Amino acid sequence: MNHIKLKIGFIASFLISFVGAHAEWVEDYTCPDGWVYSGEMANGKRQGEGAAVTVKGNVYYGKWVDDLLPQGKLECYDDGNEWIYEGQFNSKFQPNGYGVIRYLKGQFAGDAYYGQFYGGNKHGIGKWVHKNGTIEFGNWNMGQLSLPADQKFKAGEDRVYGIDLSHHNQVDWDKLALYADKNGDVYKLKAPTKQYLQPVSFAYARATAGATIQDSLYYDHKEQAKKHGIPMGSYHVLYLTTSSVDEQLANFLRETNKCKDDQLPPMIDIECLDQAKKIGRTKTTTLLLDMCKKVQKATGRKPIIYTNDRFANNYLDMSRLKGYTFWKAAYGKNSTQEKKEPEKPWDIWQFTENGNTSGITPVDINVFNGSLKDFNKKFVK
């Protein structure tokens, strides 16, 4: 128990500076429920920032409201097992709503779960990430993963799906999932059935465009992706005639802090047809290469190039771009579920801009040409 007391002491010394005007600070106060509390109190109740040690030695801390902890952190110690939960709680101090468990010691050490809880059990859409990189994803029912009897795929086994976002996308991250058929193939448009679910295994957020544009939801998308255990990358829309590469580079690096917190490599989006027509194929390719090389030098990571076949065929000299990873958009007929694979080379294929999913619609949906293990090896830092 000594390590718990030391931790509580540290937390208390940190939180004491946040005492509210109508609250008093207490140290090692024994509450009627037997818990030992250090933090803010008002009218005899835990009220404000504080930390409490239960009779069993578990630790809750966060912002208390009338003796309850609507959202906060729990450190649990139980017969050699140790885990940390961050998220929402019910009135019985059980995980309830969205939360994350990270297992530190015991049978599941190194694993993590991101998803919904009810009454302390995993319940609703959730993702269990095992320390070996494999995942379990879908609807959980009171602690057990409940998959359709005829489902023929395992999440991430041979298909890896992701989304790319901008200020146009409002996302309910707690409920985020992709609708697929029983073989795991995610639907391009509105799904005829919603019983088979694939996880979002990666996400990209637009950071900047040109020399002056910053995306208003960039930071929110990054924060939420991290909270939900989804590897995130940042992208820049490259303009060809309205500003210089150096001006655009400065905008991108400033907004992303040189992509230091990103798990995925940066991506350069090049698809401005009208601008490419004005300057031609050679200059377009030269500007793209200049941007890619400077981004790589500044971030230490080789960027991905996003485009489409029409642009690549007409305005990019692909022989000069060998060695780069390509992310291509190719939709087929927009009014049907038909998918038209882009011409090679491609590593990531954006097969729809009108995806209908749980948590967000419409949205760009992408598939990686490989397994989750391949994706993590190639991209995730």
Side-chain angles (χ1 to χ4, degrees):
M1 290 289 290
N2 287 336
H3 67 290
I4 296 175
K5 291 180 179 179
L6 287 172
K7 182 168 286 189
I8 288 294
F10 173 78
I11 295 169
S13 64
F14 175 76
L15 294 176
I16 198 167
S17 60
F18 296 98
V19 178
H22 302 290
E24 62 172 330
W25 184 268
V26 299
E27 292 277 357
D28 297 330
Y29 172 79
T30 302
C31 302
D33 54 16
W35 294 11
V36 178
Y37 177 74
S38 294
E40 294 178 87
M41 291 192 72
N43 300 319
K45 295 182 178 181
R46 292 167 291 214
Q47 189 79 29
E49 300 287 348
V53 182
T54 72
V55 175
K56 292 183 178 181
N58 299 325
V59 185
Y60 289 88
Y61 49 96
K63 190 170 185 178
W64 299 72
V65 179
D66 292 333
D67 262 344
L68 299 178
L69 190 63
Q71 184 153 344
K73 191 171 182 178
L74 164 63
E75 296 187 5
C76 188
Y77 308 88
D78 180 29
D79 295 330
N81 296 307
E82 184 176 336
W83 47 267
I84 295 176
Y85 170 83
E86 292 184 77
Q88 298 170 314
F89 296 98
N90 61 18
S91 60
K92 296 180 179 179
F93 300 97
Q94 298 168 323
N96 204 79
Y98 182 83
V100 180
I101 285 184
R102 293 179 175 85
Y103 297 92
L104 306 179
K105 293 181 180 179
Q107 180 182 0
F108 303 116
D111 291 5
Y113 172 84
Y114 303 81
Q116 298 290 326
F117 289 82
Y118 179 76
N121 295 293
K122 302 175 181 69
H123 191 81
I125 292 176
K127 175 178 65 176
W128 189 312
V129 182
H130 295 279
K131 61 183 177 182
N132 64 3
T134 62
I135 64 174
E136 296 178 72
F137 180 82
N139 276 304
W140 297 73
N141 183 16
M142 300 306 289
Q144 299 296 318
L145 181 60
S146 179
L147 299 176
D150 61 344
Q151 179 168 312
K152 296 182 179 181
F153 67 93
K154 291 184 179 179
E157 190 171 70
D158 58 1
R159 291 183 177 90
V160 182
Y161 291 96
I163 57 176
D164 56 281
L165 306 166
S166 71
H167 67 283
H168 295 294
N169 304 115
Q170 298 287 339
V171 186
D172 185 346
W173 292 85
D174 292 355
K175 299 177 180 178
L176 190 58
L178 307 177
Y179 299 128
D181 63 21
K182 65 181 179 181
N183 297 311
D185 190 17
V186 168
Y187 291 107
K188 172 184 167 182
L189 302 173
K190 188 174 181 180
T193 176
K194 298 181 179 180
Q195 61 179 318
Y196 310 103
L197 301 177
Q198 285 275 24
V200 172
S201 294
F202 66 94
Y204 270 80
R206 188 182 78 151
T208 51
T212 59
I213 298 171
Q214 297 88 36
D215 195 286
S216 59
L217 287 182
Y218 169 67
Y219 292 110
D220 182 65
H221 289 324
K222 281 194 67 174
E223 179 183 352
Q224 290 297 325
K226 182 178 180 180
K227 176 182 175 182
H228 290 78
I230 301 173
M232 171 65 82
S234 306
Y235 77 90
H236 172 81
V237 180
L238 184 65
Y239 292 169
L240 303 171
T241 61
T242 57
S243 52
S244 70
V245 164
D246 286 342
E247 289 172 323
Q248 296 186 65
L249 178 71
N251 187 25
F252 180 64
L253 296 180
R254 182 172 55 249
E255 190 69 4
T256 63
N257 190 27
K258 297 183 179 180
C259 301
K260 290 179 180 178
D261 297 328
D262 292 4
Q263 288 180 276
L264 303 179
M267 183 258 278
I268 307 301
D269 179 327
I270 181 166
E271 52 184 328
C272 298
L273 283 170
D274 291 341
Q275 295 181 18
K277 287 178 182 178
K278 292 180 180 179
I279 64 174
R281 186 181 189 190
T282 299
K283 190 171 182 180
T284 296
T285 306
T286 297
L287 289 174
L288 174 60
L289 272 172
D290 189 24
M291 183 69 173
C292 286
K293 290 176 180 178
K294 288 177 176 177
V295 166
Q296 182 176 358
K297 182 177 180 180
T299 65
R301 305 193 73 184
K302 197 169 189 175
I304 298 169
I305 296 172
Y306 170 93
T307 190
N308 57 68
D309 285 334
R310 180 184 176 189
F311 193 97
N313 290 337
N314 291 309
Y315 301 108
L316 294 180
D317 183 346
M318 299 298 285
S319 66
R320 297 173 62 191
L321 297 168
K322 289 181 179 179
Y324 281 95
T325 294
F326 275 87
W327 179 339
K328 287 187 176 179
Y331 305 147
K333 294 180 180 178
N334 285 331
S335 59
T336 71
Q337 295 283 9
E338 176 198 45
K339 298 174 184 176
K340 181 184 177 182
E341 185 175 326
E343 297 175 14
K344 295 181 180 179
W346 68 269
D347 286 272
I348 301 174
W349 168 22
Q350 183 185 96
F351 59 84
T352 182
E353 59 182 348
N354 291 304
N356 184 283
T357 75
S358 172
I360 176 174
T361 187
V363 66
D364 298 341
I365 305 179
N366 311 273
V367 62
F368 170 69
N369 189 20
S371 68
L372 183 61
K373 183 178 180 180
D374 296 332
F375 181 87
N376 290 338
K377 183 178 181 181
K378 185 176 181 68
F379 294 123
V380 178
K381 181 173 69 175

